[in-house]
Amino acid sequence: MKPVVAVALLSLSLAVSSTADEFDFFYLVQQWPGSFCDTQQGCCFPSTGKPAADFGIHGLWPNYAVCRPAAAADAFDIVAAQEKCWPEYCNDGNPLSLLEIKDLLKLLDRNWPSLSCKNGGRGMDFWSYEWRKHGTCSGLDQHDYFAATLALKARHNLTDILAGVGVVPSDSETYFLSSIRDAITEATGFKVNLECNRDVSGEVQLFQVYQCVDRDGKKLVDCTLPMNSGCTDRVKLPAF
């Protein structure tokens, strides 16, 4: 092999591997289905039927501890010059294969359902998107990425944790956001971030819980980065 070609291939290999490795932690993001559906855009149930009234996985997202400048094409490329706070789309040449996750399909249907009408009830479309955008940057292969996410969710049931402190789905009750945060932190041992959205009446509701995970995708760690959560002191947890 000619030296120039060898150097080029080595540089490409290093670029691919470093792209997958250049992150500091994962966000395990789980969403409350009632809050996803009770919005102006609404929701569609997957082909497997209405999911359980339980927090469902949105994704496992590699994230930077400190946002970094994105490479700009030129001085006038304002969009490209904006900061990046996570890697994404690290390898478009590695689409999700159904064969790689076939043993996980029942667990994925139950714990990682798609509620987006754009997916037409097809969970595989949702999982493929999450793999393409986030999983290809995780340093994990396809099976390990989804298995690790499922294992992390199974370790602490957020619905049960909140029910244990009296935070249960309701179309009329509101709850202190601090009580929700404290309950999850106490039960899991680690600080979390919370995200809210608004229902069709404009009331604030708990939407997503962000748990932070180490780079190996195995252990929870404290979430220390602030988030623009959209939450207020009291929030709803709508029935589903």
Side-chain angles (χ1 to χ4, degrees):
M1 182 180 291
K2 293 182 179 180
V4 173
V5 175
V7 171
L9 290 175
L10 177 60
S11 299
L12 177 60
S13 174
L14 290 175
V16 171
S17 62
S18 63
T19 299
D21 290 339
E22 284 182 357
F23 67 95
D24 298 298
F25 66 95
F26 288 103
Y27 273 131
L28 170 64
V29 187
Q30 297 185 60
Q31 60 189 12
W32 179 247
S35 299
F36 186 102
C37 292
D38 191 4
T39 60
Q40 293 290 345
Q41 68 180 12
C43 69
C44 293
F45 294 155
S47 55
T48 52
K50 182 180 179 180
D54 187 24
F55 280 89
I57 297 169
H58 187 170
L60 185 67
W61 304 344
N63 211 78
Y64 301 140
V66 178
C67 297
R68 55 193 67 182
D74 55 59
F76 301 101
D77 193 344
I78 298 175
V79 174
Q82 292 177 346
E83 286 189 327
K84 290 190 66 175
C85 297
W86 56 82
E88 58 185 19
Y89 301 110
C90 293
N91 185 0
D92 271 348
N94 182 19
L96 180 61
S97 168
L98 182 63
L99 292 176
E100 292 293 328
I101 59 170
K102 62 181 180 179
D103 62 313
L104 301 175
L105 290 179
K106 287 185 178 179
L107 287 173
L108 289 169
D109 282 333
R110 186 182 312 125
N111 296 284
W112 202 327
S114 171
L115 292 170
S116 171
C117 295
K118 292 187 295 185
N119 292 331
R122 295 181 296 273
M124 188 65 183
D125 288 355
F126 185 21
W127 308 327
S128 294
Y129 172 78
E130 288 297 311
W131 166 253
R132 179 170 165 258
K133 183 174 182 179
H134 302 289
T136 56
C137 302
S138 68
L140 302 171
D141 65 28
Q142 294 184 9
H143 187 275
D144 286 350
Y145 175 76
F146 288 95
T149 309
L150 289 166
L152 287 165
K153 179 187 187 298
R155 198 168 300 162
H156 302 285
N157 186 292
L158 298 180
T159 309
D160 289 346
I161 289 171
L162 295 185
V165 295
V167 178
V168 294
S170 170
D171 287 329
S172 58
E173 293 294 329
T174 61
Y175 303 100
F176 283 108
L177 189 73
S178 58
S179 298
I180 295 172
R181 182 183 291 110
D182 291 347
I184 298 174
T185 298
E186 182 175 346
T188 64
F190 298 96
K191 298 177 182 178
V192 299
N193 286 330
L194 305 176
E195 180 186 4
C196 299
N197 64 4
R198 292 181 180 271
D199 64 16
V200 292
S201 301
E203 294 187 83
V204 178
Q205 51 191 7
L206 178 65
F207 175 38
Q208 299 196 126
V209 176
Y210 290 67
Q211 294 172 281
C212 293
V213 182
D214 68 5
R215 290 181 72 257
D216 294 328
K218 296 179 179 179
K219 299 178 181 178
L220 294 180
V221 295
D222 280 331
C223 290
T224 58
L225 295 183
M227 284 185 61
N228 183 13
S229 67
C231 298
T232 52
D233 289 342
R234 294 187 72 96
V235 299
K236 293 179 66 176
L237 187 70
F240 179 69

